[in-house]
Amino acid sequence: MNLKELSRNLGLSQTTVSRALNGYPEVSASTRQRVEDAARAYNYTPSTRAKSLATGKALAIGHVIPVSNKHEMVNPIFGDFIAGAGETYAKNGYEMILSIVADADEQKVYESLKARRSVDGVVVHGPRMEDPRIPFLHKIGLPFVVHGRASGCRLPYAWLDVNNRSAFQRATDFLFDLGHERIALINGLEDMDFAHRRRDGYCSALQSHDCVIDTALMRSGEMTEVFGYYCTRDMLSGDHPPTAILCSSLISALGVRRAIEERGLVMGKDVSVVTHDDALSYLQNGGDVPIFTATRSSVRDAGRQLAEMLLATIADPMLPTPYRLLEAELMVGSSTGPAPRKD
């Protein structure tokens, strides 16, 4: 059934039916209820195009991914975030437009989305230090929210982030409480804001324990299993290997464990490991007892919350610029234990 047929059955104009289904206040409560009941009875769902014409909105949210970051498409963290955001979009009658673009064309794509009114807003992924996308989106007037933060950006902008600095400071303190002093950090790419904040938390904890910051125990790179493996293999082969490793990704932590076991060592006994766990749907950190001690925060829930923030901003542009800082929970698993006794 289409809108014309539904309107004819109700004896109402198509404009009235459309306005009733889209929540316009000038339609009486009794008429709106009558239209909604009929739409359910006839299993009628207005097309996105029709709703867009009725509301003046695109009813779509954009996610623009530069080619240099296309690995995010197969990253389970990105997948869980998109799933969470998608739940919120669907619940509110919005669609998602995902664009993979050449890095040099990213600003042109944002301009095109704005000019063609293809989307009502966009989500900015993977913010870097002083990220240029934030002032650019301000300039063209396209509503946006940032998944994370961009240190050095002084313009107001909407964001949702995990307290990465606090999480890694707490994780490092936890390892010190277990007697560890040689604590390594296997981080993400440190031009990414989250990795910069995690390193700051780690270094702050070392300094608070009067421990010298040893750059030989610090690595940063793409958070893959292989990266975690090679970094750990290299550090464990040194003259003064770490007794504990703090890792920025559960995926990298799997490589850390592989390198530990390859040397005939036992994770949690010979080398302790703490990682960050995004509570992923398809890569879970054990069952009732976590495999890895981890700072945990659900990236799927972050997707839901960030989408809600953006849709609220689109609905009422006069709202104060929203932001939300989530605290990670430290979950103790079997990957940590007291520091080995010195010979």
Side-chain angles (χ1 to χ4, degrees):
M1 173 172 286
N2 58 33
L3 179 64
K4 182 178 180 179
E5 292 168 334
L6 179 64
S7 301
R8 185 171 59 244
N9 286 345
L10 286 165
L12 298 171
S13 70
Q14 292 183 48
T15 299
T16 298
V17 172
S18 176
R19 288 178 175 271
L21 291 171
N22 287 289
Y24 279 75
E26 60 265 31
V27 179
S28 69
S30 60
T31 298
R32 180 177 294 105
Q33 187 64 54
R34 181 181 164 215
V35 171
E36 290 175 350
D37 289 344
R40 281 192 293 270
Y42 291 111
N43 197 29
Y44 170 76
T45 302
S47 71
T48 301
R49 177 62 178 164
K51 290 179 69 176
S52 176
L53 291 171
T55 62
K57 295 185 181 298
L59 297 177
I61 301 299
H63 294 256
V64 179
I65 309 298
V67 170
S68 62
N69 291 340
K70 65 182 178 181
H71 57 271
E72 290 195 25
M73 297 292 295
V74 294
N75 188 323
I77 296 172
F78 180 78
D80 257 37
F81 178 88
I82 287 295
E87 291 173 20
T88 299
Y89 299 152
K91 186 171 64 177
N92 289 276
Y94 273 74
E95 295 181 346
M96 177 171 56
I97 296 178
L98 188 61
S99 303
I100 309 298
V101 303
D103 290 47
D105 295 335
E106 188 172 4
Q107 290 191 356
K108 293 179 183 178
V109 170
Y110 284 129
E111 287 177 324
S112 176
L113 291 173
K114 168 72 174 177
R116 292 186 289 110
R117 298 182 180 180
S118 302
V119 299
D120 297 312
V122 295
V123 173
V124 175
H125 294 272
R128 290 176 163 79
M129 310 287 289
E130 301 181 357
D131 198 304
R133 292 173 292 181
I134 292 172
F136 181 77
L137 290 169
H138 263 287
K139 178 183 176 182
I140 67 174
L142 182 59
F144 69 97
V145 291
V146 180
H147 183 206
R149 284 176 284 175
S151 298
C153 183
R154 302 188 184 281
L155 290 169
Y157 61 94
W159 56 266
L160 179 144
D161 197 12
V162 174
N163 194 340
N164 288 293
R165 188 182 193 280
S166 174
F168 272 55
Q169 183 170 3
R170 184 181 178 193
T172 308
D173 285 337
F174 172 77
L175 290 169
F176 270 106
D177 289 342
L178 290 173
H180 295 277
E181 296 179 357
R182 295 283 293 171
I183 302 171
L185 173 66
I186 298 179
N187 203 4
L189 293 165
E190 290 183 355
D191 63 333
M192 306 296 290
D193 192 86
F194 79 89
H196 174 78
R197 293 177 188 274
R198 290 178 183 180
R199 185 188 65 190
D200 277 358
Y202 162 80
C203 290
S204 177
L206 293 180
Q207 291 169 339
S208 71
H209 290 275
D210 297 320
C211 185
V212 175
I213 296 173
D214 186 352
T215 56
L217 295 180
M218 300 171 67
R219 302 284 192 281
S220 68
E222 201 70 64
M223 296 186 296
T224 63
E225 192 273 348
V226 170
F227 177 67
Y229 168 75
Y230 282 125
C231 288
T232 304
R233 189 182 69 172
D234 178 56
M235 288 188 287
L236 291 180
S237 299
D239 293 334
H240 302 287
T243 64
I245 298 172
L246 182 56
C247 192
S248 260
S249 165
L250 184 62
I251 298 169
S252 299
L254 297 174
V256 172
R257 180 175 66 177
R258 178 160 68 101
I260 291 170
E261 293 175 347
E262 187 178 86
R263 288 187 66 85
L265 302 174
V266 177
M267 185 175 71
K269 178 183 177 184
D270 300 306
V271 183
S272 288
V273 179
V274 179
T275 188
H276 182 73
D277 176 18
D278 289 288
L280 302 175
S281 301
Y282 297 100
L283 185 61
Q284 296 187 5
N285 183 15
D288 295 334
V289 178
I291 297 170
F292 292 96
T293 295
T295 55
R296 178 179 293 176
S297 180
S298 170
V299 71
R300 192 182 190 109
D301 190 50
R304 294 189 192 100
Q305 292 188 48
L306 198 71
E308 289 167 359
M309 290 170 63
L310 180 54
L311 296 186
T313 299
I314 291 167
D316 186 357
M318 301 306 293
L319 286 174
T321 302
Y323 62 89
R324 194 168 301 164
L325 184 61
L326 307 176
E327 294 294 337
E329 182 181 8
L330 181 65
M331 306 292 294
V332 179
S334 57
S335 67
T336 51
R341 296 176 63 179
K342 297 179 181 179
D343 295 332

